[in-house]
Structures are given as structure tokens and as C-alpha cells.
Amino acid sequence: MNSTSTPTHCPYCALQCGMNLSPTPDGGVEVLERADFPVNRGALCGKGRTAPAVLSSRVRLTSPLVREGGALVPATWEEALDRIAGALGRIRAEHGADALGVFGGGALTNEKAYTLGKFARVALGTSQIDYNGRFCMSSAAAAGTKAFGLDRGLPFPLEDIPRSGCVILVGSNLAETMPPSLRFLTELKENGGTLIVVDPRRTKTAEQADLHLAPRPGTDLALALGLLHLVVAEGRTDEAYIAERTTGWEDARAAAMAHWPEYVERITGVSVPQLREAVRMFCEPETAMVLTARGPEQQSKGTDTVGAWINLCLATGRAGRPYSGYGCLTGQGNGQGGREHGQKADQLPGYRKLDDPAARRHVAEVWGVDPDSLPGPGRSAYELLDALGTDIRALLLMGSNPVVSAPRAAHIEERITSLDFLAVCDVVLSETAELADVVLPVTQWAEETGTTTNLEGRVLLRRQAITPPEGIRSDLEVMHELAARLGVEKGFPTDPEEVFEELRRASAGGPADYSGITYRRLAEENGVFWPCPAPPSVDPQSVDPQSPDRVIVADSGDASPAVTPDGPAREAGVREAEVRGAHPGSPHPGTPRLFLDRFATPDGRARFVPVAHRAAAEEPDDEYPVLLTTGRVVAQYQSGAQTRRVDELNAAAPGPFVELHPRLAARLGAAEGDPVAVVSRRGRAVAPARITRAIRPDTVFMPFHWPGEGRANTLTNPALDPTSRMPEFKACAVRLEAVPPAEAARN
């Protein structure tokens, strides 16, 4: 490693791959290998390697912009901030605090997410805050909380995956969405384990599988129930485990037994022999895992679908045991931390519930406000966006691009344009920022220090490597300045470490307890897994200012008693052996593996939740006879606001496409590359045909990274899961149309 390089992490997906940034003669940075970080061991995908390209002034914002005469023009920071504060204050005075909306993102650091939630509730007084992570892993979070009492994407490190006997990967294309993680599956097979991939497409990941199950989109719930039925029928349940560590089995078993194999085959299209083979592969080894991603989660029944896969793990004794269990592959860079610290509509820092009086008292004390002054839960992400221009008159948006990423995107674009006022903080002029009244250019990953929490629950330190261009400010500075203009002059520090110290206090005792984590520990230990409470008998505020990792410990009367997992650690199911032997005042080691002794429920038992198959919110019919599913490609990321500005990535993935089976293409009369129109009840999108046998004949696929005519989310259905409020991105009814030559020529 170059002696002048800075160890940090990739700005993109939830792997948060380690990298080193080394300065270049032109004042930029280049990415170098960082082999010491265990998640990627130096490997990076194309997005990570090219991430510095977005730091260039050629593609990024360099000045505040304000709308004058219908156009965005450069302005000073003072003018831009005054306009935002003036508009927010005026609209609040005229229509009330809940006329102000705040929309965050899973790319914001923990410090920014925490401050954004505090800003909404303290400086603005609004309940109307949510974030785009609601579109990512919220169904898995809801199901995990129901079953285990706690949501952490993976309750074990990624390095446990190769040591399992079998992995069922449901609705994830790791080879393209998280390429460095594919090695864990390769090592799994090298170690003698097997891989089952559930996906309606034969993706690059599915090609690695020992068994590929290709269900119709929207039928993953029936598939999981069919597998559980066979587990019961074949006598493969772990009755001792069920009796000792779970509750609710009788009702869940009865629900599963209504889904016999032939019935499930008719629903899913997965044959009975394949169902039986999947059960054999999953149950014969001593250890096994189920990992889900957006496929089963982005459904109007996503919580129940994930719950069914969790039930499969519980019935076979595969949760809360080494190298076994259920896990969610979180997508966004800080999707895990982003939902833990207060930018979600119903949550306070530390994963506390906003409607819990004790949680409100604790956080209000840290913030120095009256608990009664904190607003209650607000709208979920889509519901918030749908209310723009009506109940919500102004919106402050950070780190999101809903014009491209939201379901029923044309409608959401209309709602955004109907606002009285829109302010956007971003590093580039996204499609949403183009509609704003004020756009603020903010620092990005390599220009600032802050923490993120990856898909394993490992809290990481991103370090500043370069100085941002003159005139660029951080999101923390923006919120500090806006709060002061709105009459709240204290409580919004601009130093990220100072914010993190406050976050530690606010999270102390909560499910996601960070109180034992410091910047120094993160730097020295390559990250720390939460929960990580402060040592026993320690007030998290009692920190030695000369050594932030040394806490001032109350005299316990015993120089070296063993520490047992009490309080939040015990509730989170921390294995006693993982903390035994520590002493009061010594740092808690963090919790790489949850639930090994108990689950985070009042009685320590996991909950079976009985669920039953139900159809997607919108099934094919005579008018719309085909199913559309959406996803990502390897060279682009999320709404593409940043990756579409990188030449190398655009060369690899220049635009949208419609993937369809040869039989479907023949019926349409479409050849490879021909423009194809995909039409749903919400709109129409046009993109070139990509003809392949890797997809079901009754299904088409579109990636969702692009705006304009090929915008996939113009088509998607905003039907919401009743628990998680997740929209149904992964299944909607469409029809295909040939594009007239005149229209094709215009394109």
C-alpha cells in the first residue's frame, strides 16, 4: 500500500468493499487494492474501480443552483440557504409542520441519516420523513423483526457462508449486483456445499447453482410453503429444536400443509421433482442457510414471503446455529444503518420505535427537547411521495432520485412538480434535482469522513481522502445552517465524529446499540458488529476526552468480574461466550453472530408466523398477458444518477433493454435489438429487445437504471405490502407492442 494512501470503503452497494485511495498528480485519487478487509479481500467490481470518476468537476455539481425564470442558475450559498429556510418557514407557518416533507436515502452515512431524522423532528417539527430504503429491504426487516425480535440484514458474517452445507439464494443476482461476494458461493461449492438459486431468470448467478428454480414472478411465497410442506411430509423437521427454541409451530405447519406439491407446481411453474430435490439438498447437510434479496421482498406480500422462508429455516433447526440461518442481502451502501437511526417514518435512533414512550424519553433527553414535542410516525416512502403537492407542500430531499427509482414513476414526477417548493442536496444534477427550486452541491464519499453499516451489521469508517472543491459543503453543514435559520441554533454539529458521539448516546440501550463503538475502534478493528453496548456500569457519556476508547467506569467492587450479556446484548441474543471474559471498562467486542443462545424476543424464542399464498396485486389478463419483473445490471447502480456519468460503465451498459424469451419475441415479430414497447396500466416504456432463453416465456425483464422513454418504473405497480409498505416492483401485468417505424426512427 502507498504510504500516502487512505483506507476507506466503496460508495456503492452494501458490501462496502474496502479500498485504498491514493492521490494523483492532478489532485484526484486512484483506487488501489485493500486486501486486509475481509468482505472483498481487495477485489472490486467496475463500479468500485471507477468511483473516483464521479469526483470530477466535469460531472458533479460545483455551485448551488436556484430557479430563476424557469431555469436553474448558479447562486451563492447564502442566497440558496436563505431561499430554502424562507420557503420552509413560510409554508410551515401557513399550513403546519406536516406540510413539510423530508426524503432521505440509503447512501447517507449514519451521521447524516441520524441528523436528518433529528432535523425533521426537531428543527422542522414534521412527522413526514422517510427514505428510499423503504424500496429496498423493508419487507425482510419486518419479517425478521416478527420472527426473531430484531432486524439485522445478516445475523452472521459473510465469511460463514462458505462453511454452510447448503445455501438457498432467493431473488438475488449477486454476480451482477455484488460481484465481489460471488467468491463466497464459489468457496461454498469448493468446500462441498451446494447452491440453490431461486430466480425467474437464468442469471449469471443462477448459472453457478447446483439447482435453479425458476418460479413465476410473485409466487415465491407459494414456493417456500411448498418446500415446508414437503419438509413436514418427509419427516425432516427438527422437533427438538422447534420445542426448545420456537413458538407458533402448530399454526405455521397447518398453513404450510395446505400447499401440497402439485398445487405449488401449478402456481409457480416449478416441478414437483425439483421441489423434492431442493428439500433434499437443504435438509441433508447439518447446516444450511436461506438468503433473500429484492426478488421475494419487493412484493405486495413481501413480509409474508420472507416469513415463509424463515419458517423453513426454523422448522429444520437452521436459525441461531453456527453456519445456518436466515439472512437478507441488503442492497444500498448504508441501507442497514440508514434504517437504524431515525430517517425512517416510524423509528428513532438505535432502531427504537417512535411510538414507544420510553424510546421517546431517551432520545428526547439526548436531544435536549420535550418528548411531547416529537411528532409521531409519518407516511411511508411511496405514501409520502404520493402526498406531494396536496398535504405536503414542500420537500427537502437528500441522496435519492425518485423520478427514476419510485414505482409508478410518471405519477411521482407529476407529484414532485406540483410541490410549492423542492430543495435537493446531491453530488450530481439528478433527474429529480432538475425539477428543484434550489439544488445544493454536497460532499461525497472520498471528500468526507463518516460511518456506514454494511449488510453484515458491521459498522465501518469511511475516511476523507481528498479536500472537496471550493464551494462544496457537507450535508451536516447544510442542516446546521438551515436549523439556525429556522431558529434552532444548537444541536446540529458539523463534525461527523461529534455527531457519532451523540448517536452513540442516542442508540444506547436500543436494539441497534452503537454505544460501545468509537471512531478509533473502527479504524483499528476494521469495523465493529452491532449490537455493541458500552461496558457494564458505564454511562456512554462518561468518555475520557484524552482517549475516546477509555470510558470512566463506576467502581464495581470487583477488579475483574466476568461480563455476561445483559441488557440490549442479552435481548439481541448475543452468545454469552462471545462476551465472557471481558471486564468492566473494557470494550464490548461487538456481535458478529446473533441468536446463538436466544432470539431477541421477550422469552428468547423465535416466532413462527403462519402465512398463506395469495396472488400478486396485479395478475396477467387478456389485456395485459405478460409479467414484468425488474432489476439491475452489473455496470450500473440504482437510479444510475452517478454511474451513468462514468464513461467506462456506460460503454458496458449504455441503456435500457427488454429481455424476452424467443417464443414471446416470435409472437411479437421482434428481432434482437428491435425497439419494443412495454405497456402497463400506468404507462409505456420503449427499449431494444434482448432475446434470450434465460427467461421464462411468460415474463419480461427490464433494468431500472435509466430515465426517459426506457424508464422501467413508469410501468411498476405501487401496490404496498400491508406491513412493510414495500411497493410491488417485482411483478406487474404488461403487454408488448411493436414500435411503429416512424417512432423507431425518432428514437
Side-chain angles (χ1 to χ4, degrees), residues 9 44 61 73 80 100 327 396 464 484 502 530 620 624 653 692 705 715:
H9 296 273
L44 291 168
L61 292 167
V73 298
L100 307 180
L396 173 64
Q464 180 179 351
E502 183 179 303
W530 71 260
Y624 299 96
T692 174
H705 309 290
L715 309 168

Side-chain angles (χ1 to χ4, degrees), residues 538-558:
V538 176
D539 178 349
Q541 299 186 58
S542 301
V543 179
D544 181 344
Q546 302 303 315
S547 180
D549 285 333
R550 292 185 57 217
V551 287
I552 303 166
V553 184
D555 185 3
S556 65
D558 187 335

Side-chain angles (χ1 to χ4, degrees), residues 27 39 93 234 277 300 335 340 378 392 431 455 496 514 518 522 548 563 572:
V39 170
E234 295 177 4
E277 178 64 5
S300 59
E340 295 168 1
I392 299 174
E431 286 72 24
L455 76 171
Y514 283 34
T518 64
L522 296 178
V563 175

Side-chain angles (χ1 to χ4, degrees), residues 147-173:
F148 307 131
L150 182 72
D151 159 50
R152 195 181 84 185
L154 291 180
F156 41 74
L158 283 162
E159 63 193 29
D160 283 4
I161 292 174
R163 303 170 74 175
S164 187
C166 177
V167 171
I168 302 181
L169 188 63
V170 188
S172 172
N173 183 11

Side-chain angles (χ1 to χ4, degrees), residues 282-557:
F282 185 69
C283 292
E284 284 190 352
E286 291 186 5
T287 58
M289 295 176 176
V290 172
L291 305 176
T292 67
R294 308 301 80 77
E297 297 163 18
Q298 288 181 329
Q299 298 185 26
S300 59
K301 53 183 181 294
T303 301
D304 285 357
T305 301
V306 173
W309 289 102
I310 291 174
N311 286 349
L312 179 67
C313 290
L314 294 176
T316 53
R318 304 306 177 92
R321 285 180 169 173
Y323 316 124
S324 290
Y326 164 76
C328 162
L329 299 169
T330 302
Q332 294 191 81
N334 197 32
Q336 181 68 52
R339 68 183 184 266
E340 295 168 1
H341 296 299
Q343 65 172 336
K344 197 160 173 268
D346 58 350
Q347 286 177 352
L348 289 169
Y351 232 146
R352 288 181 159 90
K353 299 297 290 183
L354 187 54
D355 56 5
D356 176 2
R360 293 169 66 88
R361 285 194 301 272
H362 174 86
V363 174
E365 182 177 0
V366 173
W367 288 352
V369 300
D370 184 342
D372 293 337
S373 71
L374 297 177
R379 292 176 172 89
S380 71
Y382 181 80
E383 292 163 308
L384 188 158
L385 294 171
D386 191 40
L388 299 181
T390 54
D391 294 340
I392 299 174
R393 313 296 291 267
L395 181 68
L396 173 64
L397 185 144
M398 287 186 173
S400 187
N401 187 18
V403 165
V404 178
S405 64
R408 196 185 174 196
H411 169 72
I412 295 304
E413 185 173 357
E414 291 175 0
R415 302 278 16 104
I416 288 173
T417 57
S418 71
L419 282 164
D420 293 352
F421 185 82
L422 172 65
V424 173
C425 299
D426 211 330
V427 300
V428 297
L429 191 65
S430 70
E431 286 72 24
T432 306
E434 290 176 352
L435 305 177
D437 297 283
V438 178
V439 183
L440 300 180
V442 291
T443 52
Q444 51 182 308
W445 62 291
E447 301 165 346
E448 59 188 11
T449 294
T451 62
T452 61
T453 307
N454 81 344
L455 76 171
E456 308 165 292
R458 188 195 305 252
V459 186
L460 304 165
L461 183 63
R462 279 193 197 159
R463 299 167 178 86
Q464 180 179 351
I466 58 173
T467 301
E470 185 177 352
I472 304 296
R473 299 187 186 182
S474 73
D475 296 280
L476 295 179
E477 290 174 304
V478 168
M479 288 183 278
H480 172 87
E481 293 289 342
L482 290 177
R485 284 167 168 78
L486 292 165
V488 184
E489 297 185 357
K490 295 183 179 180
F492 292 91
T494 61
D495 177 66
E497 188 167 9
E498 185 178 348
V499 174
F500 189 79
E501 289 300 308
E502 183 179 303
L503 181 157
R504 292 176 62 206
R505 300 195 297 272
S507 73
D513 190 335
Y514 283 34
S515 61
I517 303 174
T518 64
Y519 271 31
R520 180 178 296 180
R521 285 194 65 182
L522 296 178
E524 294 175 350
E525 299 176 33
N526 236 340
V528 177
F529 291 85
W530 71 260
C532 182
S537 304
V538 176
D539 178 349
Q541 299 186 58
S542 301
V543 179
D544 181 344
Q546 302 303 315
S547 180
D549 285 333
R550 292 185 57 217
V551 287
I552 303 166
V553 184
D555 185 3
S556 65

Side-chain angles (χ1 to χ4, degrees), residues 382 406-411 617-630 658 676-686 700 702 709-719 728-737:
Y382 181 80
R408 196 185 174 196
H411 169 72
E618 186 177 78
E619 290 286 343
D621 56 22
D622 290 343
E623 188 176 2
Y624 299 96
V626 177
L627 280 165
L628 167 71
T629 193
T630 64
V658 181
V676 170
V678 185
V679 184
S680 78
R681 290 177 172 85
R682 290 153 295 280
R684 181 176 186 265
V686 177
V700 295
M702 290 186 72
E709 191 175 46
R711 181 175 59 185
N713 278 320
T714 297
L715 309 168
T716 48
N717 190 354
E728 191 154 59
F729 288 97
K730 282 297 184 278
C732 72
V734 298
R735 68 171 179 265
L736 303 184
E737 298 175 348

